[in-house]
Amino acid sequence: MPEKKYENLKDVSDVVISTRIRFARNLKDYPFPCRLNDEKKCHVAALVKEAVLDGHSAISDRFKYIQMSELTQEEAVSLVERHLVSPEFISDRQGRGLLLLDDESVSIMINEEDHVRIQVIKPNMDLDGAYDLADKIDTMLDEQLNFAFNDKLGYLTQCPTNIGTGMRASLMMHLPALKESNAMGRISASLSKLGLVIRGIYGEGTDPKGAIYQLSNQVTLGISEHEAINNLRDIASQLITQERTARETLAKNMIIEDRIFRSFGVLQYAKLISNDECMQLLSNLRFGVETGLISSISFDTLNRLMIEVQPATLMKNVGKKLSPQERDRIRAELVRTALLQPKVPANRRLEN
């Protein structure tokens, strides 16, 4: 049997930042959240909380329950910035709860658009690992909560676009070369014909800050979960190849190379950096690492910084409200510390 093309892509961390699997589920005996009053929402939240914390899973005792209405605005927004909840989930926090695993790889939103949103995030490209964990949690909860399911339609969800598997599989991808080449419009149009969608960093309706995109399946009805995942993997492998090919051309462009090293210089020495500027500079720096122009910085460091420099997360970690200028100062200091002491050899490549 010929080897599938994506099986040759053993390490795709230069393009794929993370993998996410999300299941939308509803309790059979309760109306959708939009039809529930606050009292009923709290009752559903209590049922889901008990099913997880008192469940028989080996990781049950690693979850903590968060009552969303008790969070500050900064704490709530930080959850979105860390990709643990959706922007819609924090828009009205009354009657909503969150179950969060201690390493933040699993989050369970209660009473978002559906009663239960199970989400698993894995670093790099690990669709099978993320799916296996999400499936185990889904099975455990279904045994106790009895999810709404129809033999013909599959899992029943509030939004018709989720009916069927109720699953969204997505990859967070860094695609600066394709963006620079003005290819994203064409790619987006082609993907829609294949049952996939590519969106901004925080999902639908958001901008691709720092050239970070979410690629996910759009079809949930009439297709199995494994078929959706394999389709996503096939298309992702093509995007990875296209991005790498576009990089090879751009990396030879002196203007692009100059932009990368200027970005590195600003990040190392600036005293004030806004969030939007920081995301673009980090994206440029990551591009430099991806093309081999810079080798003293790891992908893990850059991925972490792209989260930690976000406004609400910055304030959450500091533990107090900050003015815009204070955030810009602390952000610059955070980045400077992370990128400390690079060395520049004569061949223009940065080595440890």
Side-chain angles (χ1 to χ4, degrees), residues 171-183:
L171 298 172
M172 191 81 72
M173 309 180 75
H174 187 231
L175 304 173
L178 290 176
K179 183 180 180 182
E180 181 73 23
S181 303
N182 297 316

Side-chain angles (χ1 to χ4, degrees), residues 127 165 167-169 195-196 216-220 223-234:
L127 285 163
T165 63
M167 184 195 77
R168 297 288 182 182
L196 287 95
S216 62
N217 69 296
Q218 200 167 25
V219 178
T220 60
I223 185 173
S224 72
E225 294 163 348
H226 289 291
E227 286 173 331
I229 287 174
N230 286 335
N231 186 41
L232 174 63
R233 182 160 32 205
D234 278 334

